[in-house]
Amino acid sequence: TMRRRVPRWIFLCAALPALSCHAEDYIIDSARSHAEFEVKVMWLVGIRGDFGLVKGKLSVDRFRGTATVDAEIDTNALHMRTHGYENWAKSNEFFDSAQFPKIHFVSDSFPLVRMNHGGDLDGMLTLRGIEHPVHMTIDAVDCDDPLRGDCAVEAWGSINRSQFGMHSRRGALSDKVQLRFSAYVEKPDTDRGS
C-alpha cells in the first residue's frame, strides 16, 4: 500500500514555532487611505472623484511569501468638484449609492515582494452588486517596508462601466473608468500614542 505523503512545510512549522505558518493580518488605515476614479466626457475631459473612506485588511502569509487584500469602499463618502457631479455619480445612473453603498475588491494571492517592487494585482471587484474580474498594477513604493505604514501602496487599473450595469450617457461618457487606490496598512494592535 502507498503511504500518503505529508507536506514538508507541516514539519517545518512544528519544528520552528517562531515561524508564522498562517496569515498575519494588517488593517487598512482608513484615516490615510483613499480611492479615486476618473471617467472622460466626450473622451477628452476627465471627471474625477475621491472616495474618502476605504477600509479592509491585508493578509500576509510569511511562510509562502504571499499576500491577499480585501478592501471595501463607501460610495456615499464620495467627494467631487461640485455637488452636482457628486449627486449624479451617486445616482442610479452611475454608482447607485442608495442601493449599493459599497464597492468590494478581493485580490488573488500575489507575491509579497510586489508590495515593494510593484507588479500585477488581479482579483474580483463587486460594483453595483455585479462581480467581475479586474486587473490592476501595483506601483513600486518609495520606502523600505510599507507593512510598517511608512508609505502608501498604490494600485491602479481600469474597468468598463457597462460590465457593471452602468449604461447611461453612452454617447457622452467613456465606457472606461480609471481606478486608483492608495492604501496605508498597519497592525491591528498598533498604539498610535506610543
Side-chain angles (χ1 to χ4, degrees), residues 3-174:
R3 289 185 179 180
R4 189 175 180 182
R5 297 188 65 181
V6 179
R8 280 183 287 181
W9 66 266
I10 292 178
F11 295 113
L12 284 172
C13 288
L16 301 172
L19 183 66
S20 175
C21 295
H22 53 272
E24 180 182 358
D25 287 341
Y26 294 77
I27 61 171
I28 294 175
D29 183 355
S30 297
R32 296 190 292 166
S33 303
H34 69 279
E36 303 172 1
F37 83 93
E38 180 179 279
V39 61
K40 292 191 181 298
V41 179
M42 303 300 291
W43 295 268
L44 295 173
V45 180
I47 298 177
R48 295 184 181 181
D50 184 273
F51 298 101
L53 184 56
V54 179
K55 59 184 180 179
K57 69 177 182 177
L58 175 80
S59 297
V60 175
D61 189 329
R62 299 277 186 182
F63 185 73
R64 293 179 175 83
T66 59
T68 57
V69 63
D70 186 328
E72 191 175 80
I73 298 167
D74 186 345
T75 59
N76 284 299
L78 174 64
H79 303 285
M80 299 183 71
R81 193 167 56 203
T82 69
H83 289 302
Y85 282 156
E86 282 183 20
N87 291 336
W88 164 76
K90 292 176 183 178
S91 76
N92 59 8
E93 283 195 7
F94 214 71
F95 292 120
D96 198 356
S97 300
Q99 189 171 353
F100 304 105
K102 306 295 182 185
I103 298 172
H104 190 205
F105 174 73
V106 180
S107 78
D108 298 339
S109 178
F110 62 92
L112 188 57
V113 294
R114 291 183 189 168
M115 293 278 292
N116 286 82
H117 303 298
D120 293 336
L121 179 66
D122 295 303
M124 297 296 293
L125 184 72
T126 303
L127 174 58
R128 291 172 55 105
I130 300 171
E131 186 179 62
H132 205 276
V134 295
H135 173 76
M136 304 192 75
T137 301
I138 303 173
D139 289 335
V141 298
D142 57 1
C143 67
D144 292 333
D145 187 3
L147 292 179
R148 291 202 309 251
D150 296 336
C151 61
V153 178
E154 308 263 353
W156 54 273
S158 65
I159 61 170
N160 292 326
R161 63 189 181 95
S162 58
Q163 293 179 328
F164 295 91
M166 292 183 274
H167 300 290
S168 67
R169 307 185 189 231
R170 298 181 73 175
L173 284 180
S174 170

